[in-house]
Amino acid sequence: MAYSAIVVEKRGPAGLVRLNRPEALNALNDTLVDELGHALAGFEADDAIVAIVLTGSEKAFAAGADIAAMATMSWMDAYRGDYITRNWERVKTCRKPVIAAVSGFALGGGCELAMMCDIIVAGESAKFGQPEVRLGIPPGAGGTQRLPRAAGKAKAMDLCLTARFMDAAEAERVGLVSRIVADERVVDEALAIVDTMAGYSLPVLMMIKESVNRAFETTLTEGLLFERRSFHAAFGLEDQKEGMNAFLEKRKADFRHR
């Protein structure tokens, strides 16, 4: 598939996807999101890829959903077209880890897209926000749901009701961002994280991701049961035997992802 709104490449064990609509500060339209879903599916099917890095430009990760594409929509257009649900959730359902490398603006849909990822690495210039209230709409891709889970109710209410932006330092302080680096290092930092993951067992990484996400979808008792079953299942992996034997033999484990 030839992409027009994203740039895709492989960097060792990492699949790198760069949002590429600079004229619109990487505003998210159907073309971009459909292409992103296609790229994610390709990387999921590629056994050489351990995790995916999603980034934008130095000026903007993504400044939001494409307002020009939404402005003339009717309720029926949005409902019948299953707007957002139809294609945006592909990021959430990706089984391999996805890392957002954010510089500049991550606003509205851009902030929501970053929150769908598993780890957010922020450049010092990063700005996060849910300013949809300025447009006469509420957030629609998880802003009122994922932001409280990541940053707490008070911060979510503050950002969603006032449309103010949160800088990288505040975002890290409240738990939205995993780490902060200089803007010019944000992609390299995310790729370094993938290099670290590549030294571990991919099936176990996938189990961990699924278990952590389950913590937000169910009760503690059910979440613990899911974690326990994943833990038990890991004893069926060749990588579990290799990992434990390597520890006992005081050598580096050679995981084969099976």
Side-chain angles (χ1 to χ4, degrees):
M1 181 175 178
Y3 299 122
S4 63
I6 62 174
V7 176
V8 175
E9 59 183 299
K10 295 181 184 180
R11 295 281 193 92
L16 178 61
V17 181
R18 190 180 299 275
L19 309 184
N20 189 37
R21 296 190 70 215
E23 75 287 351
L25 293 179
N26 294 330
L28 307 171
N29 60 10
D30 272 345
T31 297
L32 186 153
V33 177
D34 284 341
E35 290 182 358
L36 175 57
H38 185 274
L40 290 175
F43 284 140
E44 278 201 291
D46 188 337
D47 290 340
I49 297 300
V50 171
I52 296 115
V53 173
L54 179 58
T55 192
S57 66
E58 188 171 332
K59 190 172 183 179
F61 174 74
D66 193 330
I67 298 170
M70 293 190 292
T72 60
M73 276 188 189
S74 67
W75 176 86
M76 187 56 71
D77 292 332
Y79 181 72
R80 287 285 297 273
D82 206 15
Y83 184 55
I84 294 178
T85 307
R86 182 184 67 80
N87 48 9
W88 287 49
E89 296 296 314
R90 184 63 185 85
V91 179
K92 184 192 74 172
T93 61
C94 186
R95 297 180 71 201
K96 292 179 178 178
V98 182
I99 303 168
V102 178
S103 294
F105 296 114
L107 307 177
C111 184
E112 290 165 323
L113 180 63
M115 289 191 292
M116 290 180 196
C117 300
D118 304 304
I119 295 172
I120 299 177
V121 177
E124 293 170 339
S125 70
K127 297 284 191 300
F128 300 88
Q130 299 292 157
E132 289 89 346
V133 68
R134 294 178 181 171
L135 304 175
I137 55 172
T144 66
Q145 302 302 304
R146 291 191 177 94
L147 190 55
R149 287 167 167 78
K153 176 184 175 181
K155 290 293 184 184
M157 286 289 193
D158 186 1
L159 269 63
C160 291
L161 294 177
T162 70
R164 82 169 179 88
F165 300 164
M166 180 163 58
D167 65 18
E170 183 180 2
E172 183 187 39
R173 190 165 63 247
V174 301
L176 178 65
V177 163
S178 303
R179 57 185 81 174
I180 301 172
V181 297
D183 286 331
E184 62 271 17
R185 290 192 54 242
V186 69
V187 172
D188 288 341
E189 184 75 10
L191 292 171
I193 293 172
V194 179
D195 285 341
T196 297
M197 290 179 180
Y200 305 134
S201 167
L202 178 56
V204 174
L205 293 172
M206 293 165 68
M207 287 179 179
I208 292 170
K209 170 174 175 168
E210 194 173 13
S211 292
V212 172
N213 283 333
R214 186 59 65 98
F216 296 97
E217 305 292 342
T218 188
T219 64
L220 176 60
T221 298
E222 289 301 315
L224 287 169
L225 179 60
F226 186 86
E227 178 190 74
R228 201 67 38 78
R229 291 294 176 259
S230 297
F231 175 75
H232 292 162
F235 284 84
L237 296 172
E238 293 178 21
D239 285 341
Q240 174 265 332
K241 302 298 185 292
E242 168 61 16
M244 293 192 175
N245 286 334
F247 177 83
L248 293 173
E249 294 166 9
K250 295 181 172 54
R251 60 176 174 83
K252 181 178 173 60
D254 181 20
F255 293 118
R256 301 298 178 88
H257 307 309
R258 58 178 182 255

